[in-house]
Amino acid sequence: MAKEPARILVVGGGYVGMYTALRLQRKLRRGEATVIVIDPEPYMTYQPFLPEAAAGSISPRHVVVPLRRTLDKCQVVIGEVRSIDHAKRAAAISTLATHEEGTGAVQIRYDELILAPGSVSRTLPVPGLAEYGIGFKTVEEAIGLRNHVLEQMDIASSTRDPAVRDAALTFVFVGGGYAGVEALAELEDMARYAARYYHNLEPEDLRFVLVEATGRILPEVGEEMGSYALRELRGRNIDVRLDTRLDSCADRVAVLSDGSRFPTRTLVWTAGVKAHPVLAATDLPLNGRGRLKCTAALTVDGVEHAWGAGDAAAVPDLTSDDSDAVCAPNAQHAVRQAKVLADNVLASLRDKPLKEYRHKYVGSVASLGLHKGVAHVYGRKLKGYPAWFMHRAYHLSRIPTFNRKARVLAEWTLTGLFKREIVSLGSLENPRAEFELAADTGRHPEAS
């Protein structure tokens, strides 16, 4: 009697989920296993390109990788995992169809579970943050922020009220890590460039503020390169506040711990991430930070047929002198863990020994806007144009599929030949507004 193919359930279509499923579909033998990938979105977002998408250097559709096209030998289910009962090897998921049918979550059975739901923004109980804060983890947030910044410039150009103008032209970013610094640098570059097309705005009228709770920015690139980045940003008239926290942003006023107050219509929150909340709806062991307890072989600690990696997993860092150290939740580890994870799942199916994940951090690169950047890679320190070029080359090599690489490279080439696009498409966020206006009142009120 033929053995039934194993059912491998991959929760999450991000770095770990997509790369693991991609490797599995390439290496699985015919009839050996079925791979099911579940994610709320039909695409994987290549997050390092979000700042460039926000600045208009890359089209939003080229920052994402379609799961169905890339994982053509897998079953891709667009939905959300509500809970997992690993003891019964079952996951409860809701989809657009279950929502339409009103049937509630459906059960999916599996033999092997790969948990890679990633992370979500880590928010704090700051007054006004939930009402006015803007995140920067998804392509929708990146493009929404770009539209928002340009719309604020339109407001400032049109108003005669100096208070409204000042608030519209003040942009506050909270968090001095990769996401915050790169988003701020790219958008500041774009906004000051766009100011030349407004008859009553000057680049100097725009005020950008970066708030960081610790004493340095970009700790990943090292102290020397972080200090260079700080000087670079301040040299561009960006107000960087170190050892400072956001105490409140109620009533559209950013109040900082040093007593400063900034009336602002733009507050971008990039102050860290936390494990995806779906982990709390499982019967699997979690650490104090809500991440999966995993072994160096990327199995869930003490649990059979369950695997984890990426932002959601606390994987021991075997290259650290600290026995309690875990791998940092970043893309560099996630992509490399996915390779080991896929190979170990295959080894488990074939009763072969597992390998441990061991990767020494090779360094980091960060963009500070067009032709500007910092890098600390393999002990070498670069800044300015060479670092910016390395940033682009590295991420171009890492974005999956030749199709995406070619499209991104073509866009960069065209962007270098022509002027920046500075169009706001904010109406995309409410595409039915025009039709609703026509249906309710007619397009031209005087015609009624």
Side-chain angles (χ1 to χ4, degrees), residues 134 145-173 187-188 190-192 194-195 198 200-209 251-254 262-268:
I134 302 171
L145 180 57
R146 169 189 170 80
N147 292 333
H148 176 82
V149 168
L150 291 172
E151 285 170 2
Q152 298 313 303
M153 296 176 71
D154 289 334
I155 290 172
S157 178
S158 306
T159 185
R160 294 184 178 181
D161 186 329
V164 171
R165 176 186 169 97
D166 289 346
L169 294 180
T170 300
F171 307 95
V172 179
F173 288 69
L187 283 163
E188 183 266 348
M190 182 271 294
R192 294 203 199 275
Y198 290 81
N200 56 353
L201 293 184
E202 296 294 332
E204 296 76 23
D205 295 338
L206 282 68
R207 182 171 197 180
F208 285 83
V209 182
D251 302 320
R252 292 189 180 275
V253 177
F262 298 99
T264 178
R265 297 173 58 88
T266 308
L267 190 135
V268 184

Side-chain angles (χ1 to χ4, degrees), residues 77-258:
V77 178
I78 306 306
E80 291 190 63
V81 174
R82 296 298 182 185
S83 63
I84 295 174
D85 187 343
H86 188 66
K88 296 180 179 179
R89 303 287 196 276
I93 70 163
S94 60
T95 66
L96 293 176
T98 60
H99 177 73
E100 288 292 327
E101 296 164 357
T103 55
V106 296
Q107 297 288 322
I108 288 187
R109 306 285 298 180
Y110 62 82
D111 298 304
E112 300 286 339
L113 173 67
I114 298 175
L115 260 179
S119 58
V120 297
S121 294
R122 176 175 58 86
T123 58
L124 298 175
V126 176
L129 179 61
E131 293 79 11
Y132 302 114
I134 302 171
F136 200 79
K137 273 189 66 66
T138 68
V139 67
E140 293 86 357
E141 287 175 327
I143 304 310
L145 180 57
R146 169 189 170 80
N147 292 333
H148 176 82
V149 168
L150 291 172
E151 285 170 2
Q152 298 313 303
M153 296 176 71
D154 289 334
I155 290 172
S157 178
S158 306
T159 185
R160 294 184 178 181
D161 186 329
V164 171
R165 176 186 169 97
D166 289 346
L169 294 180
T170 300
F171 307 95
V172 179
F173 288 69
V174 182
Y178 270 129
V181 170
E182 290 195 335
L184 167 62
E186 291 283 356
L187 283 163
E188 183 266 348
D189 219 11
M190 182 271 294
R192 294 203 199 275
Y193 174 87
R196 71 180 66 182
Y197 297 104
Y198 290 81
H199 71 283
N200 56 353
L201 293 184
E202 296 294 332
E204 296 76 23
D205 295 338
L206 282 68
R207 182 171 197 180
F208 285 83
V209 182
L210 177 62
V211 181
E212 168 54 39
T214 68
R216 58 193 289 197
I217 63 172
L218 293 176
E220 301 89 347
V221 298
E223 188 171 353
E224 183 181 340
M225 291 295 98
S227 298
Y228 167 80
L230 180 62
R231 293 194 303 272
E232 167 74 19
L233 295 180
R234 285 175 169 167
R236 287 158 55 177
N237 202 28
I238 296 172
D239 187 353
V240 182
R241 304 290 181 102
L242 301 178
D243 296 310
T244 306
R245 300 179 311 278
L246 176 71
D247 284 346
S248 169
C249 57
D251 302 320
R252 292 189 180 275
V253 177
V255 181
L256 307 185
S257 59
D258 62 3

Side-chain angles (χ1 to χ4, degrees), residues 49 57 105 139 171 244 276 330 424:
F49 280 159
S57 299
V139 67
F171 307 95
T244 306
H276 197 287
N330 57 44
S424 167

Side-chain angles (χ1 to χ4, degrees), residues 269-429:
W269 180 268
T270 62
V273 296
K274 63 181 180 181
H276 197 287
V278 72
L279 298 180
T282 72
D283 53 352
L284 299 172
L286 308 180
N287 71 0
R289 293 177 175 266
R291 298 169 73 187
L292 276 174
K293 288 184 180 178
C294 290
T295 68
L298 305 180
T299 62
V300 176
D301 195 14
V303 181
E304 293 185 340
H305 308 292
W307 311 78
D311 290 3
V315 177
D317 185 355
L318 299 183
T319 66
S320 173
D321 295 332
D322 182 358
S323 59
D324 295 326
V326 296
C327 296
N330 57 44
Q332 189 175 142
H333 281 301
V335 172
R336 288 168 171 81
Q337 285 172 0
K339 180 179 178 181
V340 176
L341 176 53
D343 290 346
N344 279 352
V345 171
L346 288 170
S348 176
L349 292 176
R350 298 166 185 172
D351 295 323
K352 294 183 178 179
L354 308 184
K355 296 180 180 178
E356 292 186 330
Y357 173 74
R358 181 188 298 269
H359 171 68
K360 192 167 181 62
Y361 201 61
V362 298
S364 301
V365 290
S367 170
L368 299 178
L370 193 62
H371 301 156
K372 297 176 282 286
V374 290
H376 188 185
V377 182
Y378 292 112
R380 297 192 64 184
K381 300 169 185 175
L382 299 173
K383 56 188 179 183
Y385 185 89
W388 172 84
F389 183 83
M390 178 176 283
H391 174 271
R392 283 199 161 183
Y394 173 78
H395 287 300
L396 184 66
S397 73
R398 293 299 173 186
I399 192 168
T401 78
F402 176 79
N403 180 303
R404 279 292 170 274
K405 295 180 197 295
R407 289 176 183 270
V408 169
L409 183 59
E411 283 204 305
W412 280 342
T413 303
L414 291 173
T415 302
L417 295 174
F418 301 101
K419 294 181 179 179
R420 278 182 187 263
E421 291 289 349
I422 56 164
V423 177
S424 167
L425 296 176
S427 58
L428 287 175
E429 294 160 38

